[in-house]
Amino acid sequence: LLLDLTGLHKHISEHTARLIDKLGASARLLGIETILVGVSPELAMVIAQSGNDLNKFECLKSLQHGIYYALGKSGRTISKAGC
């Protein structure tokens, strides 16, 4: 599960951080790894203050990094058409 949090930079609450944690935990129960991308400094602060431990999730800078990471874990890459 690639969860893009790029747009979550305003009106973030501890409730938001708990929901992210629960979503990831639910996905893990189904055998799905959760990758968080686009975590803003504001969201990181709320997560840290909420006491939720998101260390169990892979966190990457951007959606592009997340896509490359997920593809790499499955042994795939992105290549240009016709190459």
Side-chain angles (χ1 to χ4, degrees):
L1 172 63
L2 193 58
L3 190 56
D4 186 5
L5 306 174
T6 303
L8 292 178
H9 60 283
K10 294 183 181 177
H11 310 294
I12 300 167
S13 67
E14 290 184 16
H15 179 70
T16 304
R18 284 192 303 274
L19 287 175
I20 292 167
D21 187 34
K22 286 182 179 186
L23 180 62
S26 297
R28 193 172 337 109
L29 288 173
L30 297 171
I32 300 169
E33 178 184 2
T34 300
I35 303 167
L36 304 179
V37 298
V39 177
S40 68
E42 294 88 358
L43 180 57
M45 293 288 290
V46 170
I47 291 169
Q49 293 170 353
S50 72
N52 286 307
D53 180 17
L54 298 184
N55 286 330
K56 55 191 157 253
F57 306 121
E58 189 67 41
C59 296
L60 299 168
K61 180 179 179 178
S62 68
L63 180 58
Q64 182 179 7
H65 287 103
I67 291 170
Y68 278 101
Y69 175 82
L71 288 172
K73 286 199 72 151
S74 65
R76 299 176 182 205
T77 60
I78 295 176
S79 61
K80 293 182 181 181
C83 293

